[in-house]
Amino acid sequence: MADINIVEKELEHGGHHDDHGHDDHDHHGDKYQSSFVDRYIFSQDHKTIAKQFLITGMLWAIIGAGMSIIFRLQLGFPDANMAWLQPLLGGWIKIDPTTGLGEIDPDFYYALVTMHGTILVFFVLTAGLSGTFSNLLIPLQIGARDMASPMMNMLSYWFFFLAGAILFISLFLNTGPFSGGWTGYPPLSALPQASDGSKAGATLWLLSLVFFVVSVLLGGINYITTILNMRTKGMNMFRMPLTIWAFLVTAILGLLSFPVLASGFFMLTFDRVLGTSFFLNEIFVAGEALTTRVGGSAILYQHLFWFLGHPEVYIIILPAMGLVSEVLSVSARKPIFGYKAMVFSILAIGVLSFLVWAHHMYMSGMNPFIANIFVLFTLIIAVPSAVKVFNWIATIWGGNLRINSASLFSIGFVSMFISGGLTGIFLGNAAIDIQQHDTYFVVAHFHIVMGVAAFFGMFAGIYHWFPRMYGRFMNETLGRIHFWGTMIGAYAIFGPMHYLGMAGVPRRYYRFDKFQAFSEFTGMNEFITIAAILTFAVQILFVINFFYSMYKGRKQTEMNPWGATTLEWTAPVDAGHGNWDGDIPHVHRWPYDMGRHGREFIPQTEPLAEGEIDGGH
Amino acid sequence: MEMVTSPKKIRRIHPKKFALWTAIVSMLMLFSAFTSAYIVRKASSNWLAFPIVDEFFYSTGVILSSSVILHVSYKAFVAKNYTLYKLLLTLGLGLGVLFVALQYMGWLTLNSDTYGIFISTNQSSSFFVLLVGTHALHVIGGITALMISWIYALKSSTKEWTPRGQLRLELTFTYWHFVDILWLYLLLFLWIQQ
Ligand code: HEM
Ligand SMILES: [Cu+2]
């Protein structure tokens, strides 16, 4: 041990708080930035990697949302002539030779839904959200020159890129991409002969997601290590902004749950390739028995999947919660209400999220007694969630709220989270879930609470930190149109789905009009589809605004345009790899010192006055 | 004033080492998932038990001794005894390769007519391959890391003691000890489950 300590000292080149250096590189114009490729493509600078995650995520969001428009067209207008989509979708549009009318191939419908789910959950709301903001904000807000391992950070992005490339290629297979749902349940996913989508499409889907898991783990290890080891002087844990707390717990959840998903994927791959039957038992495909594939259990996969699946939804929502907390406090010019309560509820959510996975499996034939235990834990999660909601509302209550795109989206987030959380309480009760499982009620629940809410958090983050990324502001008018369009649109799409679900309309059906019981909802389905198209159009506005503002947006004139206390606004936007030109600033107070001593805000870098007590404690 | 606001933080562990431990936690999660699935599956019917053949006990001895040898090699490096360091590192690396070979031979023995156990014979053999195979992949990762250290040990510019060199060895060997202990756990697990 003794010799290790000596080495530690030597390694540090004079100690941890050498403010000029970093273990791996020197800042500003270092060797990693010498060429175009190193600077913009294989960059190791966390700020560039953040932008890579963001823009890749946006591309995937457009693809994934575009897919939803196509299958919404099918659901809203099942009899419409889809022949005009043939140039885009080719053979997936079946043309009736006698009438000349085109129709979406039912198999392809399922492939679209599967791709939509996979892309949005993993590529957009995990990599695009946590990848972007963890990268951008962790080093900047804790006062570090970069991540603990910039190299691993770069690899994390490129593994994500590889995962995306593989999934993208699978879209062009002639048997089509995987079509077994984003959850990939066996036996459908385990048997290539079960459906077209379970052939090469499923193989590529699995491969893609395994690389994705590698990306998440590389990123997560780095985020945790950086937050726990690289904070600047004075930045103790309870002086970290809530964003950092959220990213920390997110990364821990990912680190603990993604390997379990990987275990399920490995076993599934064995079943597909090596003839094992982990998840198979007494299967008949097209009337033919697979006699050698016995002894496995498909439910086992469900356990492994949801052991990730539930934490995953918090991996998606926690970063959004962190961003919203920060934006709301800065916009209200008030400290966040109940900072410590916020921290402890993030931690409580983190712990509880591992104890509730079976609430996705109430209908799998599980023992009702065990189901009850999961009901209990599931409903307990509502407590820390409610604490957070209460604190956000208390933060803006009586505040001098600055209305802009970022704060509007933050308020929208709170609204969505309340609406979706309430339906969660219904679903969390096994007795009610028996009715609601696999209906549009569940679809409405998770889109509002996770899909839309997380997007709102992401939008709030983008509008707020855009100047920090590009030195310019996004257009405010377009931003507000974007907000109102999305807010109204999202409720118009998902509100009616609650009603459909309560009436028993099942999810993952190709068309409803042929069922007597559901044909009366034709009008409602048309309405939802039209709302979806309009909402999608509003998102195009955002994309235009984003890229336009990157080059032509209003220039940022002051370093700290929002009057925030946190460290990221003390580093010049054009600083290269290393963030601060001179020394890393030291921190002397908690991150929410606003509206005290007659001052609008006091930066974290300002030393405490004689006898002053730090506000967070 | 300084004292109130920011007690000087002392870094107790190098960030890279911390990152390695974090990665180890995620690998532990992978293997706990496998072993819990094993327990769940074994609890239901149609489970065929088969013996752990001798090769797996030999390999256990091999990987245990490789850990000890590599640890002594590390001590030698710190003490700047480069000949011993290089010798033991080479030996440790060889034993690592031997371990993987023995695991594979053990599997071949199970395949042989005496036992006739193949991957899809029964859930028990599928799980066996899953556990031993995934572990072997982790060991192969360790062997790769050892090879890199070995190349560094031979190059004249990097064979002498430097803090960086010591850190590299510490990371590599920590990982190696981890896969060693992981194997002990798996062997014990399979043995108890018999
Ligand atoms: C008060 C808190 C919550 C409760 C009690 C709750 C409960 C549930 C239950 C019981 C289900 C399963 C419904 C079924 O399939 O029959 C479900 C589905 C789902 N929930 Fe929640 N939930 C809550 C919050 C959240 C949050 C915060 C998110 C995401 C950020 C989320 C995302 C999802 C997703 C994605 C699904 C559906 C997955 C699928 O089947 O494809 N939920 N929720
Ligand atoms: Cu859940």
Side-chain angles (χ1 to χ4, degrees):
Chain A
M1 243 358 254
D3 40 25
I4 295 176
N5 285 337
I6 295 167
V7 178
E8 283 295 335
K9 290 241 170 53
E10 297 223 9
L11 272 173
E12 286 167 14
H13 313 292
H16 181 211
H17 297 299
D18 166 18
D19 287 333
H20 303 278
H22 186 280
D23 280 343
D24 286 306
H25 49 75
D26 301 307
H27 58 286
H28 221 86
D30 63 13
K31 61 178 170 160
Y32 297 115
Q33 285 197 354
S34 45
S35 75
F36 176 84
V37 169
D38 294 342
R39 197 177 178 127
Y40 295 109
I41 299 174
F42 293 108
S43 170
Q44 301 197 3
D45 184 346
H46 70 98
K47 301 188 290 296
T48 310
I49 297 174
K51 291 175 193 168
Q52 291 175 324
F53 268 111
L54 178 59
I55 290 173
T56 317
M58 275 168 66
L59 270 174
W60 276 115
I62 296 167
I63 297 174
M67 288 173 168
S68 74
I69 297 301
I70 297 173
F71 63 69
R72 260 329 304 182
L73 280 174
Q74 163 65 26
L75 291 173
F77 306 96
D79 289 323
N81 181 4
M82 304 281 192
W84 59 277
L85 276 170
Q86 210 184 19
L88 180 68
L89 300 179
W92 299 118
I93 300 289
K94 293 271 173 275
I95 308 271
D96 187 328
T98 48
T99 59
L101 294 180
E103 186 182 50
I104 294 179
D105 186 274
D107 279 341
F108 190 61
Y109 172 87
Y110 289 109
L112 280 177
V113 179
T114 305
M115 290 299 117
H116 167 78
T118 307
I119 290 170
L120 267 298
V121 169
F122 291 116
F123 292 177
V124 181
L125 294 178
T126 305
L129 177 55
S130 157
T132 301
F133 286 101
S134 298
N135 264 303
L136 180 71
L137 294 179
I138 288 174
L140 280 170
Q141 285 195 330
I142 65 169
R145 296 223 180 266
D146 203 322
M147 292 287 178
S149 169
M151 170 77 175
M152 258 165 72
N153 208 25
M154 176 188 86
L155 284 177
S156 162
Y157 172 75
W158 286 103
F159 270 107
F160 165 48
F161 186 87
L162 183 63
I166 293 172
L167 198 78
F168 192 74
I169 288 169
S170 84
L171 299 178
F172 300 97
L173 294 169
N174 64 0
T175 47
F178 180 49
S179 60
W182 79 280
T183 50
Y185 280 0
L188 186 56
S189 57
L191 295 169
Q193 60 269 49
S195 84
D196 269 357
S198 302
K199 296 191 165 75
T203 307
L204 291 188
W205 182 81
L206 279 168
L207 195 64
S208 160
L209 286 186
V210 166
F211 284 125
F212 186 80
V213 171
V214 173
S215 157
V216 172
L217 293 179
L218 286 173
I221 289 169
N222 233 331
Y223 306 153
I224 298 170
T225 307
T226 309
I227 294 174
L228 294 182
N229 293 284
M230 319 268 293
R231 281 167 285 132
T232 183
K233 191 175 174 192
M235 178 64 83
N236 56 41
M237 295 297 273
F238 282 106
R239 284 189 184 151
M240 299 195 313
L242 287 173
T243 37
I244 301 298
W245 274 105
F247 299 146
L248 175 66
V249 175
T250 303
I252 295 175
L253 292 188
L255 188 85
L256 298 178
S257 63
F258 269 101
V260 178
L261 178 74
S263 77
F265 282 171
F266 288 149
M267 290 159 82
L268 195 56
T269 309
F270 268 50
D271 277 4
R272 291 177 58 79
V273 182
L274 299 174
T276 58
S277 33
F278 289 118
F279 304 135
L280 296 169
N281 195 17
E282 317 220 341
I283 298 287
F284 288 79
V285 176
E288 213 175 307
L290 300 179
T291 45
T292 56
R293 314 294 288 272
V294 291
S297 153
I299 304 290
L300 177 60
Y301 176 89
Q302 297 192 14
H303 281 291
L304 294 174
F305 183 88
W306 288 113
F307 190 84
L308 159 95
H310 189 84
E312 168 66 13
V313 305
Y314 284 97
I315 289 171
I316 287 175
I317 207 71
L318 283 173
M321 288 176 161
L323 297 171
V324 162
S325 305
E326 188 72 14
V327 171
L328 279 181
S329 160
V330 171
S331 303
R333 314 308 295 142
K334 273 176 65 186
I336 191 85
F337 187 89
Y339 171 77
K340 286 224 164 138
M342 289 300 237
V343 171
F344 287 117
S345 40
I346 294 177
L347 293 170
I349 288 176
V351 173
L352 286 169
S353 69
F354 281 105
L355 303 174
V356 303
W357 77 91
H359 67 209
H360 297 272
M361 300 166 56
Y362 289 146
M363 288 298 283
S364 67
M366 68 195 298
N367 183 327
F369 176 73
I370 294 179
N372 268 334
I373 295 175
F374 282 99
V375 170
L376 187 70
F377 282 122
T378 301
L379 296 186
I380 291 177
I381 279 213
V383 177
S385 310
V387 168
K388 296 195 71 88
V389 168
F390 174 78
N391 286 354
W392 287 317
I393 295 177
T395 302
I396 47 179
W397 196 269
N400 190 3
L401 193 65
R402 238 189 235 150
I403 299 289
N404 56 26
S405 315
S407 65
L408 284 172
F409 270 111
S410 303
I411 297 168
F413 170 92
V414 179
S415 159
M416 289 292 164
F417 191 72
I418 295 175
S419 312
L422 286 176
T423 52
I425 297 183
F426 291 91
L427 294 174
N429 286 285
I432 301 176
D433 187 57
I434 289 170
Q435 296 296 317
Q436 303 300 346
H437 180 64
D438 266 349
T439 68
Y440 267 82
F441 194 83
V442 177
V443 176
H445 159 69
F446 73 75
H447 277 91
I448 288 189
V449 76
M450 176 180 79
V452 181
F455 261 110
F456 275 33
M458 190 162 158
F459 287 139
I462 294 174
Y463 283 106
H464 187 83
W465 277 283
F466 194 83
R468 186 39 274 210
M469 284 190 272
Y470 297 105
R472 292 171 185 273
F473 293 90
M474 288 183 71
N475 182 296
E476 186 55 33
T477 317
L478 284 178
R480 289 191 193 197
I481 299 174
H482 176 215
F483 168 72
W484 287 110
T486 315
M487 181 82 180
I488 296 167
Y491 274 121
I493 298 168
F494 299 112
M497 286 190 190
H498 292 99
Y499 184 76
L500 292 178
M502 285 188 276
V505 178
R507 65 193 281 207
R508 293 179 171 149
Y509 272 37
Y510 170 65
R511 58 192 296 169
F512 296 109
D513 54 329
K514 297 282 194 288
F515 296 90
Q516 177 103 59
F518 308 139
S519 55
E520 62 180 292
F521 299 122
T522 307
M524 203 176 271
N525 270 319
E526 284 175 11
F527 173 82
I528 293 174
T529 298
I530 293 169
I533 293 171
L534 293 177
T535 315
F536 182 72
V538 175
Q539 307 314 305
I540 303 291
L541 221 56
F542 165 78
V543 176
I544 294 172
N545 189 357
F546 185 90
F547 287 103
Y548 176 83
S549 306
M550 226 158 112
Y551 298 102
K552 293 274 162 63
R554 180 163 61 86
K555 268 222 167 89
Q556 179 186 356
T557 48
E558 17 170 9
M559 219 142 108
N560 184 2
W562 309 123
T565 62
T566 39
L567 291 183
E568 77 271 30
W569 303 104
T570 63
V573 177
D574 53 5
H577 200 176
N579 297 338
W580 287 271
D581 286 329
D583 292 353
I584 296 180
H586 294 178
V587 163
H588 301 274
R589 53 182 74 237
W590 76 312
Y592 297 102
D593 241 345
M594 271 180 277
R596 284 208 314 162
H597 309 306
R599 307 239 327 249
E600 203 185 321
F601 70 99
I602 310 174
Q604 278 192 286
T605 49
E606 192 172 308
L608 292 175
E610 199 72 47
E612 185 184 356
I613 296 163
D614 191 8
H617 304 272
Chain B
M1 225 41 261
E2 272 296 282
M3 295 225 327
V4 187
T5 56
S6 47
K8 191 168 167 77
K9 187 166 158 286
I10 308 153
R11 186 203 289 171
R12 265 159 269 106
I13 175 166
H14 191 280
K16 295 250 160 83
K17 257 188 239 171
F18 187 91
L20 177 64
W21 284 109
T22 326
I24 286 176
V25 169
S26 79
M27 293 176 221
L28 283 176
M29 284 307 292
L30 180 70
F31 283 93
S32 355
F34 284 150
T35 46
S36 9
Y38 187 106
I39 295 170
V40 170
R41 174 57 194 84
K42 189 174 172 256
S44 53
S45 60
N46 184 20
W47 182 271
L48 181 84
F50 59 89
I52 301 173
V53 293
D54 289 347
E55 280 87 341
F56 294 107
F57 293 102
Y58 302 150
S59 72
T60 310
V62 166
I63 197 163
L64 278 177
S65 43
S66 77
S67 259
V68 174
I69 286 171
L70 289 175
H71 184 67
V72 180
S73 160
Y74 166 75
K75 289 279 179 205
F77 179 69
V78 176
K80 307 196 171 153
N81 183 348
Y82 299 126
T83 334
L84 186 63
Y85 151 67
K86 254 187 283 185
L87 185 76
L88 293 179
L89 182 57
T90 316
L91 190 60
L93 175 60
L95 288 175
V97 177
L98 182 61
F99 171 81
V100 178
L102 279 170
Q103 299 291 87
Y104 186 63
M105 281 157 62
W107 178 239
L108 290 184
T109 307
L110 283 174
N111 287 172
S112 70
D113 290 344
T114 332
Y115 299 98
I117 303 281
F118 294 92
I119 181 165
S120 51
T121 302
N122 185 265
Q123 295 274 295
S124 58
S125 59
S126 307
F127 267 110
F128 187 82
V129 176
L130 186 70
L131 290 175
V132 177
T134 318
H135 175 261
L137 285 180
H138 283 77
V139 174
I140 290 173
I143 291 178
T144 316
L146 282 181
M147 284 218 257
I148 294 172
S149 292
W150 187 65
I151 293 169
Y152 275 113
L154 298 183
K155 280 208 297 193
S156 56
S157 59
T158 44
K159 69 176 184 199
E160 303 254 307
W161 183 90
T162 54
R164 254 180 170 284
Q166 177 160 354
L167 178 67
R168 180 170 49 251
L169 283 192
E170 280 171 5
L171 293 173
T172 311
F173 293 172
T174 306
Y175 179 73
W176 190 261
H177 299 325
F178 162 71
V179 291
D180 181 351
I181 294 167
L182 184 61
W183 171 248
L184 274 188
Y185 160 70
L186 290 178
L187 186 76
L188 214 64
F189 175 84
L190 290 168
W191 196 54
I192 289 173
Q193 291 289 329
Q194 279 208 326

